Amino acid sequence: MRMSEWAAWFAKASDDDPVIAARGQGFTCSYLLDMGSSRALISMVEGRVNRITPDPGMLEPYDFAFRASGATWREISRAVPEPGCQGPFAAAATRDFKIEGDMAVLMRNLGSVIRQFELLRTSGVPL
């Protein structure tokens, strides 16, 4: 799947998700998914995708980032991921997955971010 197709699908899935809608008030942040050969900057405003920027430049600001190899991202996005790839913290403990940036912003939005990770199990990743 190309990045533009994935971004459109992910934005719609996130905006239509009832769990994110229920928790979304205050879900305002931007975060980077660094998947090795692909990167996407996701900007959220009040629980809705404001913008997904494919392959953002080095100076694009974000609150926090998730970085891992393509193999780890593919495992995270499987319908039933292997143990250790169920979410960002499991992958950080067992794989090459790194969590960087403002942890206070991540923790404030953690429930919605985790739900977006779960949506990757349907959309896959653009690798």
Side-chain angles (χ1 to χ4, degrees):
M1 179 183 301
R2 290 191 329 240
M3 176 65 86
S4 60
E5 294 168 337
W6 175 85
W9 187 96
F10 187 78
K12 180 170 178 16
S14 182
D15 287 348
D16 291 348
D17 187 75
V19 175
I20 293 174
R23 294 181 176 158
Q25 187 175 357
F27 180 25
T28 299
C29 62
S30 61
Y31 64 94
L32 180 70
L33 300 179
D34 184 341
M35 300 171 269
S37 62
S38 293
R39 297 177 349 146
L41 179 60
I42 299 171
S43 174
M44 301 296 300
V45 176
E46 294 298 321
R48 303 202 41 90
V49 175
N50 180 51
R51 178 178 74 252
I52 296 178
T53 306
D55 296 316
M58 290 178 56
L59 299 178
E60 290 284 335
Y62 52 85
D63 295 301
F64 50 90
F66 301 110
R67 301 179 191 278
S69 66
T72 297
W73 281 105
R74 280 188 288 278
E75 186 57 42
I76 287 170
S77 68
R78 286 182 42 193
V80 179
E82 290 182 10
C85 284
Q86 308 93 317
F89 294 103
T94 63
R95 304 288 174 126
D96 64 347
F97 196 90
K98 305 287 184 237
I99 303 170
E100 302 171 352
D102 190 334
M103 292 300 110
V105 175
L106 171 58
M107 295 312 236
R108 195 168 41 246
N109 295 292
L110 187 60
S112 297
V113 171
I114 295 296
R115 179 63 186 145
Q116 286 184 321
F117 264 75
E118 292 168 353
L119 293 175
L120 293 175
R121 295 181 189 149
T122 305
S123 70
V125 290
L127 296 174

